[in-house]
């Protein structure tokens, strides 16, 4: 994809970190994988099928246990969602609207 057709303006960094998705009305978070991170958002693979513009909290866990890094806690808004080849798994693009911690 060339720069003229690429709409995202921020550089994306590939990750493979676990992410907890806290949904209203659910006591346990949905666990997914953060596959990309940028200044303005993330791409998450998860079994959760979000509504367009849905807002929820996430916690992106550090890659390795026992490190000096803390989880990224943020409030995000869904901007896109696509089904993946694996049944029951979805890729959602979310925009970071607030970094909580």
């Amino acid at each position: 994809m060339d720069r003229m057709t690429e709409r995202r303006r921020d550089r994306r960094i590939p990750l493979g970190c676990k992410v907890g998705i806290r949904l209203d009305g659910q006591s346990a978070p949905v666990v997914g994988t953060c596959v990309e991170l940028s200044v303005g958002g993330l791409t998450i693979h998860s079994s959760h099928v979000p509504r367009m513009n849905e807002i929820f909290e996430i916690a992106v866990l550090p890659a390795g246990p026992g490190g000096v890094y803390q989880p990224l806690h943020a409030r995000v808004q869904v901007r896109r969602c696509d089904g993946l080849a694996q049944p029951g798994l979805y890729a959602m693009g979310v925009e970071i609207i607030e970094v909580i911690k």
Side-chain angles (χ1 to χ4, degrees):
M1 191 176 301
D2 66 34
R3 292 290 295 161
M4 295 304 289
T5 57
E6 177 58 63
R7 294 182 355 207
R8 296 173 215 147
R9 62 186 180 274
D10 299 323
R11 181 174 177 234
R12 290 167 302 215
I13 300 168
L15 291 180
C17 298
K18 294 293 179 198
V19 60
I21 303 168
R22 175 84 46 205
L23 302 168
D24 286 340
Q26 291 190 2
S27 58
V30 175
V31 177
T33 303
C34 177
V35 295
E36 287 183 332
L37 173 68
S38 75
V39 170
L42 305 94
T43 300
I44 298 170
H45 289 181
S46 164
S47 61
H48 174 62
V49 183
R51 297 181 319 277
M52 188 57 78
N53 297 316
E54 180 177 0
I55 295 174
F56 49 81
E57 290 184 13
I58 60 161
V60 180
L61 304 177
V68 297
Y69 300 106
Q70 297 295 314
L72 165 66
H73 291 267
R75 185 167 287 108
V76 298
Q77 185 171 21
V78 175
R79 294 301 185 190
R80 67 174 174 80
C81 182
D82 303 297
L84 296 173
Q86 181 178 343
L89 197 60
Y90 302 88
M92 65 178 105
V94 297
E95 177 183 1
I96 298 171
I97 56 176
E98 178 186 5
V99 174
I100 298 168
K101 180 167 82 164

